[in-house]
Amino acid sequence: MTDSAKDVMTVSHDDKSDGAQTKMRSKRVRPYALTGGRTRTRHHLLVETLISVPEFDPVLAESLMPESRALYSRACQRMSIAELSANLDLPLGVIRVLVSDLAGQNAVFIHPTAYAYQNNPQVLERILDGLKQLPV
Amino acid sequence: MDSSSSPSDPGLLTISAKIVVAGGFGVGKTTLVNSVSEVRPLNTDAWMTEASEGVDDLPPGGGKSKTTVAMDFGRITLQPDLLLYLFGTPGQARFWFLWDDLSRGALGAVVLVDTNRIDQSFAAVNYFENDSVLPFIVAVNRFEGKPEHDLAEVREALALNEDVPLIECDARSRASAIDVLQGVVTHSLSLAKVSAPG
Ligand SMILES: Nc1nc2c(ncn2[C@@H]2O[C@H](COP(=O)(O)OP(=O)(O)OP(=O)(O)O)[C@@H](O)[C@H]2O)c(=O)[nH]1
Ligand SMILES: [Mg+2]
């Protein structure tokens, strides 16, 4: 287990996630077991946060659990947390934990969001310009 | 920021931003998102599987409980290194808890309103006025065959604060949907400039 994983494990769960845990059933058991009950992650992973793989390492890929490996391959094409969740059919919370672990091993790169720039005016101006240039 | 980037690849770093699309039941959220999105609607069933498990009871007989909450998802590539995402949740009040996760970090929001059923959007307006720090605007979806709305009346009916921009739109029109998004960004920008002068 990576250091980042241990860190996250020591963080206590909030009430909402505890409620979900006690009702864990059927399909839900697997993703939960997968993350060892970790529901908080160290990195700030928003649904729009982009993930990519700077340099695909087939040896590392082999060593990963199937879900992490699938995520690692998918992220070779820059992809958001939301799209990874939908494409891999895993809840957002699980994707966040898996991404966090991979990032802890420097296997994936977490791109900055506009929020990471505190939605500053320069970033917003670029977004506005981009919208104005869209073909109608 | 993380240090695992490859600085040798200048094309790698990409900024993503998010706008949330809110509003009551059937006001045109899905229509608006799909009017501007460059990707087909995503099957979002997986997003909240844990959360929905917590709020739904098992059906009698012990069958598998399957709640599908179809959320809206859209993506617009503004520049090769700048992506804008759109997120929306269904209008029913019981899905409001989903907003906190989806809307965190958004640059702003738009609340869509159908003037036929204006009360449908009260909850969304309340949420963004009271329970959220996001800048938001309100857009009246112009369902066809209806007279142009008097926006002052809509503002009054919604008890909308003077400083919240109120516009009209046609959710089915790509151009109009782009205008709405520009309205959100312009509003956020004006607030950002006020809070960080210079
Ligand atoms: N005529 C007309 N119909 C519209 C317009 N916008 C949406 N509709 C229709 O109104 C209905 C509801 O629109 P949706 O986009 O599904 O609304 P929604 O807000 O996503 O609804 P929920 O997700 O159920 O809350 C659909 O049948 C749309 O085709 C509009 O501008 N004009
Ligand atoms: Mg909808």
Side-chain angles (χ1 to χ4, degrees):
Chain A
M1 187 178 295
T2 64
D3 285 350
S4 74
K6 280 187 215 134
D7 280 2
V8 184
M9 278 190 81
T10 59
V11 176
S12 64
H13 307 295
D14 56 25
D15 293 344
K16 216 187 270 178
S17 61
D18 282 345
Q21 281 166 40
T22 54
K23 296 193 178 183
M24 205 62 64
R25 277 182 297 262
S26 62
K27 196 186 166 198
R28 249 56 91 178
V29 173
R30 180 149 173 78
Y32 178 76
L34 194 63
T35 58
R38 287 163 282 144
T39 56
R40 295 268 182 89
T41 56
R42 217 158 51 147
H43 298 272
H44 269 281
L45 298 170
L46 304 177
V47 283
E48 73 273 27
T49 299
L50 292 165
I51 308 302
S52 65
V53 174
E55 210 176 327
F56 187 80
D57 177 352
V59 177
L60 174 73
E62 269 308 303
S63 73
L64 297 171
M65 285 191 301
E67 285 80 2
S68 290
R69 192 186 311 147
L71 193 161
Y72 185 58
S73 320
R74 284 285 177 147
C76 286
Q77 209 186 337
R78 183 188 65 194
M79 200 172 279
S80 65
I81 295 285
E83 287 160 296
L84 286 167
S85 165
N87 289 333
L88 299 174
D89 197 22
L90 290 169
L92 291 169
V94 172
I95 296 290
R96 285 180 168 119
V97 172
L98 298 181
V99 164
S100 207
D101 281 357
L102 286 168
Q105 307 170 53
N106 285 344
V108 298
F109 176 64
I110 300 172
H111 293 258
T113 58
Y115 184 61
Y117 291 101
Q118 281 139 21
N119 287 320
N120 84 29
Q122 285 88 338
V123 174
L124 294 179
E125 297 273 16
R126 278 195 72 205
I127 293 166
L128 188 56
D129 285 345
L131 285 169
K132 286 178 177 166
Q133 284 164 26
L134 283 181
V136 175
Chain B
M1 263 330 98
D2 200 272
S3 58
S4 58
S5 66
S6 148
S8 59
D9 183 358
L12 190 63
L13 191 78
T14 307
I15 298 176
S16 58
K18 169 174 66 187
I19 288 177
V20 293
V21 181
F25 182 63
V27 294
K29 300 179 294 294
T30 301
T31 306
L32 183 125
V33 169
N34 293 337
S35 294
V36 282
S37 179
E38 67 195 20
V39 290
R40 275 174 299 162
L42 203 61
N43 181 343
T44 63
D45 291 353
W47 286 0
M48 300 294 174
T49 36
E50 285 171 326
S52 49
E53 185 75 3
V55 295
D56 283 326
D57 292 318
L58 268 186
K64 204 161 58 160
S65 118
K66 171 97 174 137
T67 315
T68 56
V69 186
M71 280 167 282
D72 298 310
F73 171 87
R75 187 180 75 205
I76 305 170
T77 302
L78 297 173
Q79 297 289 341
D81 64 347
L82 184 63
L83 304 189
L84 179 62
Y85 284 94
L86 306 177
F87 289 86
T89 75
Q92 292 105 307
R94 70 192 191 98
F95 296 123
W96 281 104
F97 72 98
L98 298 176
W99 276 112
D100 290 335
D101 189 32
L102 287 191
S103 69
R104 188 177 313 123
L107 67 85
V110 53
V111 176
L112 280 176
V113 172
D114 173 0
T115 48
N116 262 1
R117 298 166 301 137
I118 208 160
D119 54 314
Q120 280 292 335
S121 293
F122 285 165
V125 171
N126 282 341
Y127 177 85
F128 287 104
E129 274 191 342
N130 306 317
D131 303 322
S132 165
V133 296
L134 298 187
F136 77 103
I137 71 167
V138 175
V140 175
N141 190 12
R142 193 191 302 130
F143 285 82
E144 71 200 357
K146 285 197 208 154
E148 294 220 344
H149 308 291
D150 181 341
L151 288 179
E153 277 174 28
V154 175
R155 185 178 290 278
E156 204 181 316
L158 286 170
L160 196 62
N161 208 301
E162 276 300 313
D163 47 27
V164 178
L166 176 64
I167 60 172
E168 269 196 299
C169 73
D170 182 339
R172 295 163 307 167
S173 150
R174 173 174 163 84
S176 181
I178 292 172
D179 280 345
V180 169
L181 300 180
Q182 286 183 25
V184 174
V185 182
T186 302
H187 183 49
S188 302
L189 203 43
S190 67
L191 294 179
K193 281 175 174 163
V194 168
S195 64

